[in-house]
Amino acid sequence: MPFLNNLFGNLQDLISSWLAGFLPQWGVDLAMMAITTVALLAFLVVVVMYLTYLERKVLGRIADRPGPNRVGPLGLFQPFADVLKLIIKEATTPQGVDYPTYILAPILIVAPALLVYAVIPFGPRMVPTDINVALLFVVAISSVATLALLMGGWGSGNKYSLLGGMRAVAQMISYELPLAFAFLGVVLVTGSLSLVKIVEGQPGYPLALAQPIGFLIALICVVAESNRAPFDLPEAESELVAGYHTEYGGVRFAMFFLAEYIEMFTGSAMVALLFLGGWRGPILPPYVWMLIKVYAVLFFMFWLRGTFPRLRVDQLMGLSWKFLLPLGMVNVIVMAFIDKLHLPGGFLPGLAASIVILAVAGGVVRIGRRSPAVRTARPGLRVKEA
Amino acid sequence: MLRTETLSINMGPQHPSTHGVFRMVLTLDGERVVDLVPHFGYLHRGIEKLAEGRTYLQNVPFTDRLDYISGMSNNLAYALAVEKLAGMGPMPERAEYLRVIMAELTRLANHCVAIGFLLNDLGAFFTPVLYCLRQREYIVDLFEMASGSRMTPSYIRPGGVAGDVPPEFLPAVRKLLAQMPSFIDQLDQLLTGNEILMARMQGVGVLPPERAVALGVTGPLLRASGVPYDVRTAEPYSVYGQLDFDVVTEQGQDAYARYLVRIGEMRQSVRILEQALARLPEGPVMAEGVKRIRPPAGEAYARIEAPKGELGFYLVSDGTPNPYRYHIRATSLANLGALRDMCIGHLVADVVIILGSIDITLGEVDR
């Protein structure tokens, strides 16, 4: 059991001691880095492939149908068929594209999505680099994807793509702020930006219990950040065809797809690390716990997609700026006080305070709805008579 | 102020949510609709002209292909028009009840489809639409049992219905009716109180009652604007006069009210079906001597409350076996007239919902 608990750490020791037999120290370091990177990338690609399968199965069950079940037993080879199809498809370039931007976007979107995995730990010794500002790194790098989305939307030379790209940028910038505030609450308690230290510095219970508001905000923002239903406006198919990736096909489309699913996985991993206690849990090895928690969050995202209609652009912005952001700010202040007061009772003071905040927020929303100015406004009516 | 330009965008005919081959040219200020020009005719098959070259009975199958979601209702409207034109007496009682049963089943199926695809337009990823289509499947199975065809039944004909229903039909309808209320409740529970759904649909596509009447809008669209007008009660046809049901109205005037009206009408249809089944008499299902229909010269207009609204057939006879003129008052086309009114001032995303809440079938719009 102890061997299993530290399986990947032991493997690392084994390989590096074997390499040290015939390589100098810097060679061992370089080789280890390469091995870790390749292993991680392979892991991510497989994860994404089977995430699509899982999603389709879950959505299928929700919609009362079997989901993919043709390719292989239980449809398990479906992801391979999909990948193969995407790879052998001809990549067409429509006329009128802004070629450099058009071709760079799919590359630029995958790079940051993968880059954040340099600092995301899956277990005690399972992190490529444990830098002391890992959380900041993740938040900063994942915002780079915004640029790629805009490039895709602009470069395609298609109106739907442009609208999709603009929506994506507005949405991602808006939801990064409440997300950062939600993360801040955790940083206050654990006193570090390093993801490893955050997990180790957490008390014996998941922080979601002590900071439920932060947890909920993070959950909502993660769904919004990865452009998933009910926040999938940038690619809202009933309005914008496919949004910023309308004009992409084959491998280029696959890159957008890959990035979206990796971002989903990243977001779920961040929620699991910060609010669900990361890899900590009884009996099972740490990395198994980590994956269980990540997949629990992912399942929640699938569930949302299977059930909820989509929000409208202005409602989406309103939710972030008028509700989540102020709520996040209040949450950070209250959590800071609770942390400094050193109240007894574990997570109970935090939970109680959160319930009070939510009740007040609910009341404010209710009063706001009742004011007639908001209720009957028919948005900017300017009728041009034909 | 920044000087901004309006953007003209073309939605359709290949756009995923225009319900067929409907095309709209939108003028946008940002994402706000300044103007909307509908274009249709991509599915024009010239049914009205084709009908002039065929006998009255040969024209029945064409009616299936108008609003292909609700073929039975189209059959009924046409049959009523021909009967009126030819001055046929009262139809056999059993045929009339079977007609009502079929028409109400059609209404259930149509509203299932309408609500399901409206939710799809709202971005609910396929779950509600699949629930709805599953339910519709049970209904089209019944149609197949009675007529041999699921979507194009040609079952209701001038003079009665094509043939009596098979013995297993009535138990199957009862079984469907037993589980239909729980399905409607399920749908209601999943959707009606949903925060996002209400935020998206309330106050969207407002159509004031005066405007609705002026535009000639009918059906759930009109009743959602608070006008209690239903051909079934305003001018009862078939045996609707003997059945007890309510005309569902809502005061919301918006897309959400239309959704609520459809849910309410599904409940009323179940009520009507239960009564019709209980009263279904034995006897013939076809009037005597309608083999050759050769109406005297003259004209007739008959209308019914189809699932989408008032559906009318205007027939002119010159005494030959073929109609001299055959005109369809297509519900979807008339209801589409309110589209521009409802859309201006809203966002692109709302246009899709408004179109979905009108519930059109292009087969009927273009004919």
Side-chain angles (χ1 to χ4, degrees):
Chain A
M1 222 44 199
F3 177 78
L4 266 185
N5 279 347
N6 197 11
L7 178 66
F8 291 90
N10 291 338
L11 267 178
Q12 220 174 311
D13 291 342
L14 215 70
I15 298 172
S16 61
S17 62
W18 174 67
L19 284 173
F22 53 91
L23 278 179
Q25 186 53 41
W26 59 267
V28 175
D29 286 349
L30 268 184
M32 286 311 293
M33 269 184 225
I35 290 171
T36 321
T37 313
V38 169
L40 200 58
L41 291 184
F43 169 73
L44 283 174
V45 169
V46 173
V47 158
V48 166
M49 279 168 68
Y50 275 90
L51 214 51
T52 61
Y53 172 78
L54 186 73
E55 170 166 42
R56 291 171 64 183
K57 271 285 183 201
V58 170
L59 284 180
R61 288 300 171 190
I62 291 175
D64 199 15
R65 57 193 167 89
N69 64 353
R70 296 288 104 180
V71 193
L74 296 171
L76 274 171
F77 298 145
Q78 184 69 42
F80 291 96
D82 290 342
V83 167
L84 194 68
K85 177 211 134 194
L86 282 173
I87 288 175
I88 61 176
K89 221 175 177 180
E90 183 191 355
T92 51
T93 307
Q95 281 185 336
V97 298
D98 185 356
Y99 198 74
T101 2
Y102 173 78
I103 208 72
L104 265 178
I107 303 166
L108 269 187
I109 196 167
V110 172
L114 291 173
L115 207 54
V116 294
Y117 281 87
V119 297
I120 290 184
F122 283 86
R125 280 189 63 197
M126 291 172 63
V127 53
T129 46
D130 176 21
I131 58 174
N132 55 7
V133 287
L135 188 59
L136 188 65
F137 180 83
V138 171
V139 174
I141 293 294
S142 40
S143 345
V144 176
T146 319
L147 180 68
L149 296 186
L150 189 59
M151 283 169 71
W154 174 262
S156 298
N158 174 328
K159 287 170 188 170
Y160 288 119
S161 299
L162 184 59
L163 277 176
M166 284 178 352
R167 277 184 180 188
V169 173
Q171 175 176 339
M172 290 184 82
I173 291 172
S174 309
Y175 278 83
E176 255 155 32
L177 295 170
L179 187 64
F181 273 105
F183 287 168
L184 203 55
V186 176
V187 175
L188 280 174
V189 175
T190 54
S192 173
L193 283 170
S194 151
L195 288 172
V196 176
K197 293 227 175 61
I198 284 177
V199 174
E200 282 166 356
Q202 282 177 15
Y205 47 82
L207 272 180
L209 286 175
Q211 304 194 358
I213 295 185
F215 175 61
L216 288 178
I217 294 179
L219 213 51
I220 295 172
C221 291
V222 158
V223 177
E225 281 280 289
S226 46
N227 296 332
R228 301 279 303 174
F231 305 106
D232 56 345
L233 290 114
E235 43 194 289
E237 77 164 359
S238 49
E239 302 146 25
L240 296 182
V241 193
Y244 49 82
H245 56 59
T246 306
E247 299 292 356
Y248 289 93
V251 178
R252 294 173 196 162
F253 168 73
M255 291 286 125
F256 279 105
F257 203 69
L258 185 71
E260 182 183 323
Y261 277 78
I262 292 178
E263 269 162 26
M264 262 168 75
F265 199 77
T266 316
S268 308
M270 293 302 288
V271 171
L273 283 171
L274 268 64
F275 291 99
L276 300 176
W279 59 79
R280 293 165 44 150
I283 306 167
L284 294 169
Y287 46 90
V288 176
W289 267 113
M290 178 70 187
L291 287 180
I292 289 176
K293 287 168 182 174
V294 172
Y295 276 98
V297 179
L298 283 171
F299 179 80
F300 177 74
M301 289 164 88
F302 296 155
W303 191 9
L304 279 185
R305 185 171 181 212
T307 325
F308 272 12
R310 186 184 298 129
L311 280 168
R312 207 173 55 205
V313 188
D314 53 328
Q315 292 164 345
L316 182 91
M317 293 295 151
L319 178 66
S320 170
W321 291 103
K322 293 184 198 160
F323 186 70
L324 292 180
L325 190 60
L327 193 65
M329 287 175 174
V330 172
N331 182 51
V332 167
I333 295 167
V334 173
M335 288 307 144
F337 271 109
I338 287 173
D339 190 45
K340 280 295 154 211
L341 290 176
H342 295 291
L343 295 171
F347 58 82
L348 289 175
L351 191 62
S354 301
I355 291 170
V356 173
I357 299 173
L358 275 182
V360 173
V364 171
V365 170
R366 214 157 258 260
I367 292 166
R369 271 203 193 148
R370 223 175 286 152
S371 74
V374 184
R375 195 71 194 83
T376 55
R378 194 173 164 192
L381 186 63
R382 273 196 289 161
V383 184
K384 216 198 283 174
E385 275 311 320
Chain B
M1 274 297 276
L2 273 174
R3 197 184 61 85
T4 54
E5 277 177 27
T6 54
L7 174 73
S8 164
I9 206 169
N10 180 43
M11 252 188 173
Q14 277 94 24
H15 193 277
S17 57
T18 46
H19 299 256
V21 285
F22 184 58
R23 176 176 162 220
M24 292 177 277
V25 177
L26 302 173
T27 310
L28 302 181
D29 175 13
E31 284 210 26
R32 212 167 282 293
V33 178
V34 184
D35 197 11
L36 181 150
V37 182
H39 290 266
F40 38 78
Y42 293 93
L43 204 63
H44 180 67
R45 292 153 296 175
I47 284 184
E48 289 186 2
K49 188 69 191 169
L50 280 172
E52 290 170 15
R54 280 161 177 76
T55 66
Y56 286 93
L57 197 57
Q58 283 171 344
N59 274 325
V60 174
F62 280 137
T63 63
D64 292 334
R65 286 152 181 84
L66 294 169
D67 175 4
Y68 41 78
I69 306 290
S70 34
M72 287 280 193
S73 291
N74 305 337
N75 293 166
L76 177 57
Y78 175 70
L80 288 177
V82 175
E83 284 158 14
K84 203 167 168 183
L85 186 67
M88 293 184 204
M91 296 303 123
E93 190 88 335
R94 186 174 173 83
E96 291 288 15
Y97 274 100
L98 282 177
R99 285 176 172 191
V100 168
I101 289 172
M102 294 305 175
E104 291 307 315
L105 284 174
T106 307
R107 194 180 314 278
L108 283 172
N110 180 77
H111 286 355
C112 278
V113 173
I115 292 173
F117 281 100
L118 173 64
L119 260 294
N120 234 29
D121 292 343
L122 274 164
F125 189 79
F126 285 112
T127 305
V129 77
L130 280 168
Y131 287 172
C132 291
L133 285 180
R134 179 191 60 191
Q135 203 63 22
R136 172 178 175 264
E137 208 62 18
Y138 297 136
I139 298 171
V140 290
D141 281 350
L142 292 174
F143 290 163
E144 185 177 15
M145 226 181 252
S147 74
S149 174
R150 290 150 47 85
M151 279 180 81
T152 52
S154 297
Y155 180 67
I156 300 172
R157 292 178 188 178
V161 295
D164 205 347
V165 287
E168 66 270 21
F169 179 81
L170 293 175
V173 178
R174 287 203 181 88
K175 202 174 136 205
L176 177 84
L177 285 186
Q179 53 117 320
M180 202 71 199
S182 72
F183 166 75
I184 303 172
D185 289 343
Q186 197 188 17
L187 207 61
D188 207 14
Q189 225 168 32
L190 176 68
L191 304 173
T192 306
N194 187 314
E195 194 76 18
I196 302 180
L197 193 103
M198 283 157 77
R200 285 299 304 277
M201 301 215 294
Q202 281 180 344
V204 169
V206 175
L207 187 65
E210 317 82 58
R211 197 73 190 126
V213 173
L215 287 165
V217 158
T218 50
L221 207 59
L222 181 66
R223 291 190 284 275
S225 292
V227 183
Y229 176 78
D230 187 322
V231 183
R232 287 176 295 177
T233 54
E235 194 181 273
Y237 52 91
S238 199
V239 287
Y240 276 110
Q242 304 165 29
L243 301 170
D244 178 35
F245 62 96
D246 299 326
V247 176
V248 185
T249 53
E250 286 288 332
Q251 301 302 325
Q253 310 175 8
D254 52 12
Y256 188 65
R258 280 163 221 148
Y259 158 79
L260 289 178
V261 164
R262 292 204 173 96
I263 291 272
E265 284 191 1
M266 283 169 82
R267 293 190 202 282
Q268 293 301 325
S269 286
V270 172
R271 236 176 105 190
I272 297 173
L273 278 169
E274 274 163 358
Q275 295 172 45
L277 278 186
R279 290 161 167 230
L280 182 67
E282 292 298 323
V285 293
M286 196 68 172
E288 294 294 321
V290 283
K291 286 278 186 292
R292 276 198 196 78
I293 305 167
R294 191 189 278 264
E299 55 178 50
Y301 176 75
R303 54 184 188 155
I304 64 157
E305 184 70 24
K308 294 182 167 72
E310 180 181 324
L311 173 67
F313 279 83
Y314 173 68
L315 299 175
V316 179
S317 165
D318 55 357
T320 60
N322 301 348
Y324 176 74
R325 176 78 174 97
Y326 167 106
H327 175 73
I328 306 152
R329 187 223 181 261
T331 320
S332 300
L333 179 66
N335 288 354
L336 258 185
L339 181 68
R340 181 172 179 272
D341 250 50
M342 292 195 278
C343 286
I344 287 180
H346 283 299
L347 300 174
V348 190
D350 294 330
V351 172
V352 174
I353 295 173
I354 294 168
L355 184 66
S357 77
I358 299 179
D359 181 21
I360 57 163
T361 307
L362 263 297
E364 198 183 15
V365 174
D366 295 342
R367 304 191 293 271

